[in-house]
């Protein structure tokens, strides 16, 4: 099998999505941690369009953008599928992946802004969580968005477990209340207890310190 | 009456709506085109796409599928005996998906930014970023087409559809701002590709005429200005 090398950055959800996908499929890979501020030769050569990590190398092939990488991983290694088989169910899964991409940035905005901008981002985050709670789970009770096993939608919503919790602590808000989001909180619990996820999450305390420092730097320079 | 129960909720000026229509044409599938009225959203649309409330929506046997490129993939996967829309090789598929993401997340917003730009400097900067994007896409075209007419090779495919649907609006923007975006000298591959795409049998009948689009653009701009000053 051709070598698989992942270049990513610490505490970065997009990097973790790729790690989770590779681990679930049992694909051996090397991980190289890059500097957050690195916009050097790798990025300019392999992702000038978006200028960011993660970048996955499979032999000589280079891929970037985490959800594109996940579909590639799914196409290349079909074991332990991340997507359903039925085309309609696949379309539904991809819809929620797109939704996560469209709306997920409000969590980041909540984190690195203050005042009115932050209030707006908090509102948008709550709206996003409401839509997921009310519409993304469908009619059946199941452990994950994908059913009994973790799938691509669970990974797309990966910002909610762990990352949102840490950002809530830093910013000083509590959005994921049990009475408002029972299904989401149940999912968060299941997600974090899943073996592959449990073994591949950034250390919470270290992430808290890192993100808190980053926030202070960001806010003082704006 | 179509063998499959297929409806598209859409509007003729929308580039996103063009995408699934082209895909259905490629697969020779008939459908009912339900036109939304400009400025209002039908009950069927609100029921079929409660999250975004946007066109296009494909309704197949009563089941809604939303988001233009997701609909295109659905059409390709559900009717997999017809001509393929996505490439078969996983890496080629990834490249197509990557550039389609770039087009929707970065390039088309930049194109829309030209109309929204306030002042000559802002307009110039917006135009530059669109042209820069086209230079990137020219490179992608060279790599994907491998000397053939389209991103998809000798037939149009996913990435052709993703970019080609915006050609009408590119032409309208060029006309209204007296600027060249698709430059034969700067991006010769894309320049020729644009002609071939618009002439393709799956595209011809759903690509709106530039003059008609320009009229719609004027109405939209007038609305934006009226809202801004009220």
């Amino acid at each position: 099998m051709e070598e698989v090398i992942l270049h990513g950055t610490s505490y970065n959800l997009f990097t973790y999505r790729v790690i989770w996908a590779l681990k679930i499929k049992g694909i051996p890979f090397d991980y190289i941690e890059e500097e957050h501020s690195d916009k050097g030769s790798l990025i300019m050569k392999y992702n000038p369009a978006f200028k960011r990590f993660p970048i996955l190398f499979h032999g000589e092939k280079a891929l970037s953008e985490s959800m594109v990488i996940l579909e590639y991983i799914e196409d290349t290694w079909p074991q332990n599928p991340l997507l359903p088989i039925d085309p309609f169910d696949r379309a539904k899964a991809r819809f929620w992946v797109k939704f996560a991409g469209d709306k997920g940035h409000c969590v980041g905005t909540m984190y690195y802004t203050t005042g009115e901008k932050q209030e707006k981002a908090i509102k948008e985050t709550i709206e996003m969580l409401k839509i997921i709670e009310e519409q993304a789970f469908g009619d059946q009770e199941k452990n994950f968005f994908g059913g009994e096993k973790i799938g691509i939608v669970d990974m797309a919503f990966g910002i909610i477990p762990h990352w949102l919790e840490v950002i809530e602590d830093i910013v000083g808000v509590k959005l994921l209340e049990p009475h408002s989001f029972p299904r989401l909180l149940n999912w968060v619990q299941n997600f974090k207890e899943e073996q592959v996820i449990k073994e591949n999450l950034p250390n919470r305390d270290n992430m808290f310190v890192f993100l808190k420092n980053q926030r202070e730097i960001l806010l003082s320079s704006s | 009456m179509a063998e499959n129960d297929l409806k598209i909720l859409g509007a003729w000026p929308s580039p996103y709506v063009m995408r699934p229509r082209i895909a259905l044409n490629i697969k020779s599938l008939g459908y009912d085109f339900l036109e939304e009225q400009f400025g209002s959203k039908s009950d069927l649309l609100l029921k079929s796409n409660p999250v975004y409330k946007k066109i296009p929506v494909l309704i197949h046997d009563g089941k809604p599928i939303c988001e233009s490129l997701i609909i295109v993939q659905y059409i390709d996967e559900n009717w997999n005996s017809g001509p393929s829309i996505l490439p078969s090789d996983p890496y080629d598929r990834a490249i197509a998906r990557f550039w389609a993401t770039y087009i929707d997340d970065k390039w088309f917003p930049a194109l829309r930014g030209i109309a929204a730009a306030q002042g000559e400097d802002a307009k110039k900067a917006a135009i530059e970023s669109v042209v820069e994007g086209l230079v990137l896409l020219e490179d992608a075209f060279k790599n994907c087409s491998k000397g053939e007419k389209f991103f998809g090779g000798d037939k149009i495919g996913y990435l052709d559809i993703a970019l080609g649907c915006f050609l009408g609006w590119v032409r309208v923007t060029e006309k209204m701002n007296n600027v060249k975006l698709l430059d034969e000298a700067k991006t010769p591959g894309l320049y020729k590709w644009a002609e071939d795409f618009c002439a393709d049998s799956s595209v011809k009948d759903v690509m709106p005429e530039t003059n008609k689009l320009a009229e719609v653009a004027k109405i939209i701009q007038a609305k934006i200005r009226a809202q801004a000053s009220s």
Side-chain angles (χ1 to χ4, degrees):
Chain A
M1 198 189 77
E2 288 175 300
E3 225 182 2
V4 178
I5 304 175
L6 173 65
H7 293 253
T9 47
S10 59
Y11 311 115
N12 178 276
L13 167 72
F14 307 117
T15 298
Y16 274 90
R17 280 174 177 167
V18 179
I19 292 173
W20 296 333
L22 291 168
K23 292 271 182 187
I24 281 179
K25 297 211 179 238
I27 308 301
F29 65 99
D30 287 326
Y31 175 63
I32 297 177
E33 193 151 282
E34 303 281 353
E35 292 297 317
H36 285 267
S37 52
D38 182 358
K39 302 285 178 218
S41 55
L42 260 190
I43 287 217
M44 289 324 290
K45 188 170 178 193
Y46 295 107
N47 192 5
F50 291 92
K51 299 185 177 57
R52 59 190 180 192
F53 293 106
I55 299 175
L56 182 78
F57 290 93
H58 180 206
E60 285 185 7
K61 296 173 279 218
L63 301 111
S64 39
E65 294 309 291
S66 63
M67 297 319 295
V68 171
I69 297 174
L70 257 54
E71 291 254 17
Y72 173 80
I73 290 171
E74 178 74 350
D75 280 341
T76 306
W77 297 287
Q79 68 270 28
N80 299 339
L82 303 175
L83 274 160
I85 299 174
D86 175 73
F88 182 69
D89 293 335
R90 288 163 79 87
K92 270 204 295 195
R94 285 182 174 131
F95 174 85
W96 290 111
V97 168
K98 178 138 202 305
F99 177 81
D102 287 347
K103 306 288 180 188
H105 59 84
C106 52
V107 177
T109 309
M110 190 174 95
Y111 157 74
Y112 62 71
T113 55
T114 55
E116 254 183 63
K117 277 198 182 139
Q118 189 184 53
E119 274 172 42
K120 184 164 179 263
I122 291 173
K123 257 193 175 159
E124 285 172 355
T125 304
I126 296 174
E127 267 167 42
M128 175 190 79
L129 294 172
K130 269 206 186 118
I131 290 176
I132 300 170
E133 175 77 20
E134 287 161 16
Q135 302 196 42
F137 287 99
D139 293 325
Q140 303 155 306
E141 289 305 315
K142 43 193 179 181
N143 288 336
F144 303 106
F145 291 102
E148 291 316 308
K149 294 214 177 112
I150 282 202
I152 207 170
V153 178
D154 301 276
M155 295 183 193
F157 284 139
I159 201 168
I160 298 169
H162 216 62
W163 277 266
L164 176 59
E165 290 167 10
V166 171
I167 289 173
E168 280 177 325
D169 280 349
I170 293 173
V171 165
V173 290
K174 190 89 187 98
L175 304 181
L176 268 178
E177 301 272 23
H179 58 268
S180 303
F181 301 106
R183 295 170 98 176
L184 254 179
L185 279 166
N186 183 50
W187 169 76
V188 163
Q189 197 65 16
N190 293 336
F191 186 81
K192 291 205 289 194
E193 279 169 12
E194 178 68 11
Q195 198 67 20
V196 163
I197 306 297
K198 203 155 69 168
E199 292 169 359
N200 295 285
L201 273 179
N203 176 283
R204 198 191 190 281
D205 295 334
N206 293 349
M207 186 159 91
F208 179 86
V209 169
F210 174 79
L211 287 177
K212 194 155 188 287
N213 288 339
Q214 280 294 106
R215 185 170 190 259
E216 271 156 32
I217 297 171
L218 280 165
L219 289 179
S220 66
S221 63
S222 57
Chain B
M1 179 60 197
E3 223 176 63
N4 297 280
D5 180 9
L6 286 166
K7 296 176 173 56
I8 291 210
L9 299 185
W12 66 263
S14 162
Y16 299 108
V17 172
M18 268 183 73
R19 289 167 166 177
R21 296 181 80 187
I22 296 170
L24 290 170
N25 286 347
I26 289 173
K27 302 277 186 182
S28 304
L29 292 165
Y31 60 95
D32 290 325
F33 186 49
L34 304 177
E35 197 96 49
E36 288 286 310
Q37 292 306 310
F38 189 62
S40 73
K41 294 177 197 277
S42 70
D43 286 341
L44 183 56
L45 175 61
L46 296 175
K47 194 177 104 180
S48 307
N49 191 359
V51 175
Y52 287 107
K53 305 176 178 57
K54 279 188 179 167
I55 50 174
V57 179
L58 175 73
I59 305 181
H60 180 205
D61 289 339
K63 292 188 296 194
I65 299 113
C66 309
E67 290 301 307
S68 60
L69 291 178
I70 294 175
I71 301 172
V72 170
Q73 288 181 84
Y74 172 79
I75 291 168
D76 200 30
E77 288 176 357
N78 203 48
W79 288 277
N80 54 15
S81 56
S84 283
I85 297 174
L86 268 119
S88 48
D89 173 74
Y91 186 60
D92 293 338
R93 289 158 76 87
I95 297 297
R97 287 190 170 117
F98 174 85
W99 287 112
T101 304
Y102 170 73
I103 288 161
D104 278 359
D105 289 0
K106 300 265 182 198
W107 183 79
F108 185 58
L111 182 68
R112 277 204 319 261
I114 296 177
Q118 307 279 357
E120 275 313 302
D121 285 341
K123 196 164 263 192
K124 228 178 148 206
I127 290 169
E128 255 173 53
S129 74
V130 171
V131 172
E132 269 167 31
L134 286 171
V135 169
L136 279 180
L137 289 164
E138 172 82 6
D139 203 46
F141 178 72
K142 279 200 197 94
N143 291 330
C144 295
S145 64
K146 303 185 182 51
E148 302 268 21
K149 278 186 353 183
F150 301 110
F151 285 92
D154 60 356
K155 294 190 321 281
I156 64 171
Y158 185 77
L159 190 45
D160 298 280
I161 296 173
L163 182 59
C165 66
F166 293 117
L167 285 171
W169 285 102
V170 167
R171 293 192 173 126
V172 165
T173 308
E174 286 178 332
K175 216 172 154 180
M176 286 172 77
N177 296 279
N178 200 24
V179 67
K180 222 185 237 187
L181 296 173
L182 257 183
D183 191 323
E184 194 170 7
K186 264 203 180 118
T187 54
L190 284 182
Y191 190 83
K192 178 82 184 41
W193 163 83
E195 281 171 14
D196 290 332
F197 180 82
C198 293
D200 188 271
S201 57
S202 297
V203 175
K204 270 201 325 254
D205 297 335
V206 296
M207 178 67 79
E209 281 172 39
T210 309
N211 291 335
K212 291 208 171 119
L213 264 187
E215 283 167 33
V216 172
K218 287 190 189 127
I219 297 174
I220 295 175
Q221 271 210 319
K223 259 196 169 183
I224 294 174
R225 287 202 185 114
Q227 276 173 354
S229 58
S230 62

